[in-house]
Amino acid sequence: QVQLVESGGGLVQAGGSLRLSCAASGRTISLYTMGWFRQAPGKEREFVAAITWIGGVTYYEDSVKGRFTISRDNAKSTVYLQMNSLKPEDTAVYYCAADRSFSLSIKLPEQYDYWGQGTQVTVSS
């Protein structure tokens, strides 16, 4: 089993920055990809970014490219999401997710095996 714990959410003004962290514990050696998703009220959960543990290959949703950066610290089993130039439409609960296998369906929530509890990000205008 793998446990994921997110932190770093909060309230920020438009144009500001936040850094989310996701600490993984348990059988982390079995993981291949880590992802960040978000879900706003009344909307479906959507892909934000992902990174592979080996090689650090990154993937981003178009709406966050150039503003968000995903990174990982293998020694700490922690993944980060640096969010800059935040917009009110970035407001959502952000979830960390882990996948045990390689997949081309990296943007689909159902591909991931483990999920964190989520952290709220609110961007005021």
Side-chain angles (χ1 to χ4, degrees), residues 39-62:
Q39 188 167 18
K43 294 187 177 181
E44 293 186 352
R45 192 166 297 190
E46 66 173 0
F47 172 78
V48 175
I51 188 168
T52 59
W53 278 118
I54 299 176
V57 180
T58 58
Y59 306 84
Y60 294 96
E61 184 57 35
D62 288 345

Side-chain angles (χ1 to χ4, degrees), residues 101-121:
S101 60
F102 171 77
S103 171
L104 295 177
S105 303
I106 201 167
K107 297 184 177 182
L108 298 180
E110 52 265 37
Q111 178 60 38
Y112 291 79
D113 302 293
Y114 305 101
W115 290 86
Q117 80 286 355
T119 185
Q120 177 71 45
V121 171

Side-chain angles (χ1 to χ4, degrees), residues 11-24:
L11 173 64
V12 64
Q13 288 187 334
S17 299
L18 283 174
R19 188 177 82 156
L20 305 183
S21 300
C22 173

